[in-house]
Amino acid sequence: MSASALAQFGTKHIAKGIGRLSNEIIESGSGSYLTMVGGRKMLDFTTGIGVANLGHCHPAVTKAAQSQVAKLVHGQVNIAFQKPYLDLVQSLKPLMPHKSLDTFFFWNSGAEAVEAAVKLARHATKKQNIIVMQGSYHGRTFGTMAMTRSKTVYGEGYAPLMPGVFSVPFPYCAQCSIANHSAGKYSFDNCCMDPILQLELLLKRETAPSDTAAIVIETVLGEGGYVPPPPHYLARLRELCDKNNILLVADEVQCGFGRTGKMFAVEHWGVRPDIMIMAKGIANGFPLSAIVSRKELMDTQKPGSMGGTYAGNAVSCAAGAAVAKAFQDERILENVNARGAELKGTLDAAKADSRTGSMIHNVRGMGLMLALECVAGHGYASKIQARCMEKNMLLLTTSIYDTIRFIPPLNITKEDMAKGCQIIKEAIEEVAAGEKPAETGTKGLAPE
């Protein structure tokens, strides 16, 4: 069957609810590249939406998974301990951002892990309500749809959703009306902290602290636009949680595992979460997610209340342990910070350039979790994305604002980063000059 015939078959028989960037058919992946049926090779700055953090088919991860397949594929966590599960706990425990995070539960997907965190928070505190951030993405299950506030498409038409969820603004300084009308008094480096005020008001008006189990926050906003919080915000949030006996839950599904230049993004601010959620890069493409908390919280749950048929699958855990080892052996974080500086330099230069700067509203991010937000109303982001695709490079847009996110492999080489930066530079310049590339398949509405 030809590539076009295969694509037509997929369009006909795969659920329409799946949004796709392209109707290309991926045949293989290696490092920073994907090869399509037909032979087209594309530089991948999406990494499966921040999953293949160590590049496609990383040799050590592949070897670990292949070896485990020959030993045990599925042992089931409620039957007995599995060695790969225990090996992964031993590998991850020293990497945690705080020593109190010492007790783990593994599941399959990010959304499941978010629900596991909510389940733990509600049970441990004996309180119901959950506070989330506007712009956040937590998943598409009924619980996480209620918590997701990045776009209406994820929950539209599926009500009633899980009750007891409240939202407050995330400190998105580039879109803050106070900062934008303060004549320079307030900015990312000097936040007005209105989101903290709004949170304090919420606890007085809508959900009393005595009814509030947890505040769940993506440490760096993901689907909402790759937005880091300003200095001191997370510390203020921690203080507020401690004052009101509310658990702080850090969703590190997209920003964790080295994406921001530290193993976990929360390390940039030295704030201790009560529960941390992990997925995506944890096993470099094998289905695996996790929550970690302190033992006293985890031990409140009765045996049998947690589990799952595929939870902590042996092959996925073996891959996860290989990922953790690769971070140490290959000095991944050093590469993230070096290559991140190069990519951000390209984006900053585009904003400073008189030919292209007028179409760019904001450049932001940390490590290799970077975003270019365009001036609204022109569809610049989708045009730049499409132009990059025409140059054999995959990019994703994100957010209700006109934003491109950059998610290259964390071990991308200096040469491949230079190639990517050149494609991005050319695409921005060509769109600024008025070139009109073909629209992408989802018109910029790529998932999570």
Side-chain angles (χ1 to χ4, degrees):
M1 191 179 290
S2 67
S4 61
L6 277 171
Q8 289 174 5
F9 177 84
T11 300
K12 183 176 181 180
H13 295 289
I14 292 176
K16 187 179 179 180
I18 298 174
R20 269 183 304 279
L21 170 64
S22 168
N23 282 329
E24 290 274 6
I25 302 168
I26 301 169
E27 181 149 37
S28 64
S30 180
S32 299
Y33 291 89
L34 289 171
T35 301
M36 309 299 173
V37 170
R40 185 182 185 189
K41 189 176 181 180
M42 302 189 76
L43 182 59
D44 184 14
F45 270 43
T46 72
T47 54
I49 314 185
V51 172
N53 278 0
L54 298 181
H56 297 284
C57 299
H58 184 278
V61 179
T62 300
K63 183 178 179 180
Q66 289 172 332
S67 176
Q68 184 59 44
V69 165
K71 296 177 183 176
L72 176 71
V73 172
H74 177 68
Q76 217 293 321
V77 67
N78 297 106
I79 302 298
F81 288 121
Q82 302 168 66
K83 189 172 186 302
Y85 195 114
L86 298 174
D87 289 343
L88 181 55
V89 171
Q90 288 181 319
S91 297
L92 291 180
K93 190 172 175 289
L95 303 178
M96 292 300 102
H98 193 273
K99 64 181 180 181
S100 65
L101 301 174
D102 61 0
T103 307
F104 295 78
F105 172 74
F106 296 121
W107 224 340
N108 308 292
S109 70
E112 286 176 305
V114 173
E115 294 217 358
V118 170
K119 187 174 179 178
L120 174 61
R122 283 181 164 180
H123 184 266
T125 64
K126 309 304 180 189
K127 299 188 283 186
Q128 173 179 322
N129 293 346
I130 303 294
I131 297 173
V132 297
M133 301 291 147
Q134 292 165 16
S136 64
Y137 177 91
H138 298 291
R140 295 185 181 89
T141 61
F142 266 85
T144 56
M145 275 195 294
M147 298 168 66
T148 291
R149 302 300 169 98
S150 56
K151 293 174 184 171
T152 56
V153 65
Y154 301 121
E156 184 180 5
Y158 295 103
L161 304 178
M162 181 179 76
V165 179
F166 299 82
S167 69
V168 291
F170 185 91
Y172 190 167
C173 299
Q175 291 291 343
C176 174
S177 60
I178 295 175
N180 291 336
H181 294 87
S182 69
K185 179 179 179 181
Y186 296 117
S187 64
F188 177 83
D189 292 320
N190 184 34
C191 179
C192 64
M193 289 294 164
D194 184 65
I196 292 292
L197 171 61
Q198 297 305 316
L199 180 53
E200 292 172 336
L201 293 174
L202 181 78
L203 291 170
K204 293 176 181 178
R205 291 169 170 165
E206 300 181 51
T207 174
S210 59
D211 291 327
T212 305
I215 296 173
V216 182
I217 182 171
E218 289 181 290
T219 315
V220 176
L221 207 60
E223 233 275 279
Y226 277 31
V227 186
H232 313 303
Y233 171 79
L234 286 176
R236 293 282 300 276
L237 192 61
R238 177 73 266 178
E239 290 171 5
L240 189 146
C241 286
D242 290 340
K243 177 182 177 182
N244 293 285
N245 194 29
I246 297 170
L247 298 179
L248 178 60
V249 180
D251 182 338
E252 294 253 351
V253 169
Q254 191 159 178
C255 61
F257 282 90
R259 180 53 59 184
T260 66
K262 291 186 180 292
M263 199 64 193
F264 296 98
V266 74
E267 295 176 54
H268 289 283
W269 297 278
V271 170
R272 173 189 59 83
D274 296 292
I275 305 169
M276 191 170 74
I277 305 166
M278 300 168 276
K280 286 191 182 287
I282 189 173
N284 213 55
F286 288 87
L288 188 66
S289 62
I291 63 168
V292 62
S293 185
R294 59 186 183 270
K295 185 171 173 59
E296 66 185 79
L297 281 185
M298 290 289 227
D299 281 358
T300 63
Q301 295 181 305
K302 295 180 180 179
S305 63
M306 300 297 284
T309 299
Y310 300 107
N313 171 266
V315 179
S316 294
C317 286
V323 167
K325 188 173 187 299
F327 266 90
Q328 303 296 320
D329 293 348
E330 301 174 25
R331 303 168 74 171
I332 298 296
L333 296 181
E334 291 181 26
N335 195 68
V336 171
N337 289 303
R339 303 290 83 78
E342 291 163 0
L343 177 53
K344 192 168 187 298
T346 295
L347 303 178
D348 285 336
K351 191 176 190 311
D353 192 322
S354 59
R355 298 170 298 168
T356 56
S358 62
M359 60 189 273
I360 298 172
H361 176 64
N362 186 240
V363 172
R364 58 178 174 266
M366 311 174 80
L368 285 172
M369 188 175 184
L370 299 172
L372 179 79
E373 183 178 332
C374 297
V375 173
H378 305 278
Y380 289 137
S382 290
K383 292 174 183 177
I384 294 167
Q385 175 195 46
R387 196 70 179 130
C388 285
M389 287 182 65
E390 291 172 1
K391 297 174 182 288
N392 295 321
M393 179 184 191
L394 288 167
L395 284 180
L396 288 171
T397 57
T398 193
S399 166
I400 60 169
Y401 301 106
D402 200 27
T403 304
I404 302 170
R405 54 178 156 173
F406 302 89
I407 332 171
L410 305 185
N411 57 353
I412 187 171
T413 65
K414 185 176 181 66
E415 293 74 22
D416 283 339
M417 178 56 77
K419 180 180 178 180
C421 287
Q422 184 61 30
I423 291 173
I424 293 162
K425 178 177 182 291
E426 290 174 0
I428 292 171
E429 290 173 352
E430 288 161 5
V431 170
E435 295 196 23
K436 297 180 179 180
E439 285 188 336
T440 57
T442 53
K443 299 188 174 115
L445 299 177
E448 68 188 285

Coordinates of all heavy atoms in Angstrom, one line a residue, residues 1-11 14 20-29 34-42 389 394:
M1 N 0.8 -1.2 0.0 CA 0.0 0.0 0.0 C 0.9 1.2 0.0 O 1.8 1.3 0.8 CB -0.9 0.0 1.2 CG -2.0 1.0 1.2 SD -3.1 1.0 2.6 CE -4.0 -0.5 2.4
S2 N 0.6 2.2 -0.9 CA 1.4 3.4 -1.0 C 1.2 4.3 0.3 O 0.2 4.1 1.1 CB 1.0 4.2 -2.2 OG -0.3 4.7 -2.0
A3 N 2.1 5.3 0.5 CA 2.0 6.2 1.6 C 0.7 6.9 1.6 O 0.0 7.1 2.6 CB 3.2 7.1 1.6
S4 N 0.3 7.4 0.4 CA -1.0 8.2 0.4 C -2.2 7.3 0.7 O -3.1 7.7 1.3 CB -1.1 8.8 -1.0 OG -1.1 7.8 -2.0
A5 N -2.1 6.0 0.2 CA -3.2 5.1 0.5 C -3.3 4.7 2.0 O -4.3 4.6 2.5 CB -3.0 3.8 -0.4
L6 N -2.1 4.6 2.6 CA -2.0 4.3 4.0 C -2.6 5.5 4.8 O -3.4 5.3 5.8 CB -0.6 4.1 4.4 CG 0.0 2.6 4.3 CD1 1.5 2.6 4.5 CD2 -0.8 1.6 5.2
A7 N -2.3 6.7 4.4 CA -2.8 7.9 5.1 C -4.3 8.0 4.9 O -5.0 8.3 5.9 CB -2.1 9.2 4.5
Q8 N -4.8 7.6 3.7 CA -6.3 7.6 3.5 C -7.0 6.6 4.4 O -8.0 6.8 5.0 CB -6.6 7.4 2.1 CG -6.2 8.6 1.1 CD -6.4 8.2 -0.3 OE1 -6.9 7.2 -0.7 NE2 -6.0 9.2 -1.2
F9 N -6.3 5.4 4.5 CA -6.8 4.3 5.4 C -6.9 4.8 6.8 O -7.9 4.6 7.5 CB -5.9 3.1 5.2 CG -6.3 2.0 6.2 CD1 -7.3 1.1 5.8 CD2 -5.7 1.8 7.4 CE1 -7.6 0.0 6.6 CE2 -6.0 0.8 8.3 CZ -7.0 -0.1 7.9
G10 N -5.8 5.5 7.3 CA -5.8 6.0 8.6 C -6.9 7.0 8.9 O -7.5 7.0 9.9
T11 N -7.0 7.9 7.9 CA -8.1 9.0 8.1 C -9.4 8.3 8.2 O -10.3 8.8 9.0 CB -8.0 9.9 6.9 OG1 -6.7 10.5 6.8 CG2 -9.1 11.0 7.0
I14 N -9.2 5.6 11.9 CA -8.7 6.1 13.2 C -9.6 7.2 13.7 O -10.0 8.1 12.9 CB -7.2 6.5 13.1 CG1 -6.4 5.3 12.8 CG2 -6.8 7.2 14.4 CD1 -4.9 5.6 12.6
R20 N -4.0 15.8 14.3 CA -2.6 15.5 13.8 C -2.0 16.7 13.2 O -2.7 17.5 12.5 CB -2.7 14.4 12.8 CG -2.6 13.0 13.3 CD -2.6 11.9 12.2 NE -3.8 12.0 11.4 CZ -5.0 11.5 11.7 NH1 -5.1 10.9 12.9 NH2 -6.1 11.6 11.0
L21 N -0.7 16.9 13.4 CA 0.0 17.9 12.7 C 0.2 17.7 11.3 O 0.1 18.6 10.4 CB 1.4 18.0 13.4 CG 2.5 18.9 12.7 CD1 2.0 20.4 12.8 CD2 3.8 18.8 13.5
S22 N 0.4 16.4 10.9 CA 0.7 16.0 9.5 C 0.1 14.7 9.2 O -0.1 13.8 10.1 CB 2.2 16.0 9.3 OG 2.6 15.4 8.1
N23 N -0.1 14.4 7.9 CA -0.6 13.1 7.5 C 0.6 12.3 6.9 O 0.4 11.3 6.3 CB -1.7 13.3 6.4 CG -3.0 13.6 7.0 OD1 -3.3 13.2 8.1 ND2 -3.8 14.3 6.3
E24 N 1.8 12.7 7.2 CA 3.0 11.9 6.9 C 2.9 10.6 7.8 O 2.2 10.6 8.8 CB 4.3 12.6 7.3 CG 4.6 13.8 6.3 CD 5.4 13.3 5.1 OE1 5.5 12.1 4.9 OE2 5.8 14.2 4.3
I25 N 3.5 9.6 7.4 CA 3.5 8.3 8.1 C 5.0 8.0 8.6 O 5.9 7.8 7.8 CB 3.0 7.1 7.3 CG1 1.6 7.5 6.8 CG2 3.0 5.8 8.0 CD1 1.1 6.5 5.7
I26 N 5.2 8.0 9.9 CA 6.5 7.8 10.5 C 6.8 6.3 10.3 O 6.1 5.4 10.7 CB 6.5 8.2 11.9 CG1 6.2 9.7 12.1 CG2 7.9 7.9 12.5 CD1 6.0 10.1 13.5
E27 N 8.0 6.0 9.8 CA 8.5 4.7 9.7 C 9.6 4.3 10.7 O 9.6 3.2 11.3 CB 9.1 4.4 8.3 CG 9.6 3.0 8.1 CD 9.4 2.5 6.7 OE1 9.6 3.3 5.7 OE2 9.1 1.3 6.5
S28 N 10.4 5.3 11.0 CA 11.5 5.0 12.0 C 12.0 6.3 12.6 O 11.8 7.4 12.0 CB 12.7 4.2 11.3 OG 13.3 5.0 10.3
G29 N 12.7 6.2 13.7 CA 13.3 7.3 14.3 C 14.7 7.0 14.8 O 15.0 5.9 15.3
L34 N 13.3 11.8 12.4 CA 12.3 10.9 12.0 C 12.4 10.6 10.5 O 12.6 11.6 9.8 CB 10.9 11.4 12.4 CG 10.6 11.4 13.9 CD1 9.3 12.2 14.1 CD2 10.5 10.0 14.5
T35 N 12.2 9.4 10.1 CA 12.1 9.1 8.7 C 10.7 8.6 8.3 O 10.2 7.7 9.0 CB 13.2 8.0 8.3 OG1 14.5 8.5 8.7 CG2 13.1 7.7 6.8
M36 N 10.1 9.1 7.3 CA 8.8 8.8 6.9 C 8.8 7.7 5.9 O 9.7 7.5 5.2 CB 8.1 10.1 6.4 CG 8.2 11.3 7.3 SD 7.4 11.0 8.9 CE 7.9 12.5 9.8
V37 N 7.6 7.1 5.8 CA 7.4 6.1 4.7 C 7.6 6.9 3.4 O 7.0 8.0 3.2 CB 6.0 5.5 4.7 CG1 5.7 4.8 3.5 CG2 5.9 4.6 6.0
G38 N 8.4 6.4 2.5 CA 8.8 7.2 1.3 C 10.2 7.8 1.4 O 10.7 8.2 0.4
G39 N 10.8 7.8 2.6 CA 12.1 8.2 2.7 C 12.4 9.6 3.2 O 13.6 10.0 3.4
R40 N 11.4 10.4 3.4 CA 11.6 11.8 3.8 C 12.1 11.8 5.3 O 11.6 11.2 6.2 CB 10.3 12.6 3.8 CG 10.4 14.1 4.1 CD 9.1 14.8 4.1 NE 9.2 16.2 4.3 CZ 8.2 17.1 4.5 NH1 7.0 16.6 4.5 NH2 8.4 18.4 4.7
K41 N 13.3 12.5 5.5 CA 13.9 12.6 6.8 C 13.7 14.0 7.4 O 14.0 15.0 6.7 CB 15.4 12.3 6.6 CG 16.1 12.1 8.0 CD 17.6 11.7 7.7 CE 18.4 11.6 9.0 NZ 19.8 11.2 8.8
M42 N 13.2 14.0 8.6 CA 12.8 15.3 9.2 C 13.5 15.5 10.6 O 13.5 14.6 11.4 CB 11.3 15.4 9.4 CG 10.5 15.3 8.0 SD 8.8 15.6 8.2 CE 8.8 17.4 8.2
M389 N 8.2 22.9 8.4 CA 7.9 21.6 7.9 C 8.3 21.4 6.4 O 8.7 20.4 6.0 CB 6.4 21.3 8.1 CG 6.0 21.0 9.5 SD 4.3 20.6 9.7 CE 4.2 19.1 8.8
L394 N 10.1 19.4 12.1 CA 8.8 19.3 12.8 C 8.8 20.2 14.0 O 9.7 20.2 14.8 CB 8.6 17.9 13.2 CG 8.2 16.9 12.1 CD1 8.3 15.4 12.7 CD2 6.8 17.1 11.6

